[in-house]
Amino acid sequence: MRCRFCDTDIAAKALICYRCGRATADPRPPPPVRHGPTGAVTVAVTLIAGAVAAYLPAVADGVVLWVGWAGLAAVAGAAASAWWRFRA
């Protein structure tokens, strides 16, 4: 293989040219940044779900109450899961 800058004969797997010191390949771009909910958003969603869960017995009872609590637990769990998946 030949260096593309100084045209020196170098090893096929060389990372840099021993003569001019330049890299033999272009640098790779950094991986894309994943954006997701912040910890504050996750805490806010969980607190709102908790407040609604505390108020739920005043407006529902029986099966509706349990279904409501299960739904709110699912919302809080989804927020925590999304935060965990996208954390840096």
Side-chain angles (χ1 to χ4, degrees):
M1 172 167 124
R2 300 198 69 77
C3 176
R4 62 184 173 164
F5 299 104
C6 68
D7 204 36
T8 302
D9 193 24
I10 56 176
K13 293 185 177 182
L15 299 176
I16 60 170
C17 174
Y18 68 88
R19 185 167 185 205
C20 67
R22 310 264 313 256
T24 59
D26 293 328
R28 294 182 183 170
V33 177
R34 295 171 31 180
H35 297 285
T38 63
V41 171
T42 302
V43 169
V45 168
T46 304
L47 287 176
I48 290 170
V52 172
Y55 177 70
L56 199 56
V59 294
D61 62 348
V63 174
V64 175
L65 177 64
W66 287 100
V67 169
W69 279 342
L72 291 171
V75 167
S81 174
W83 172 78
W84 186 263
R85 189 173 350 122
F86 291 108
R87 72 190 190 290

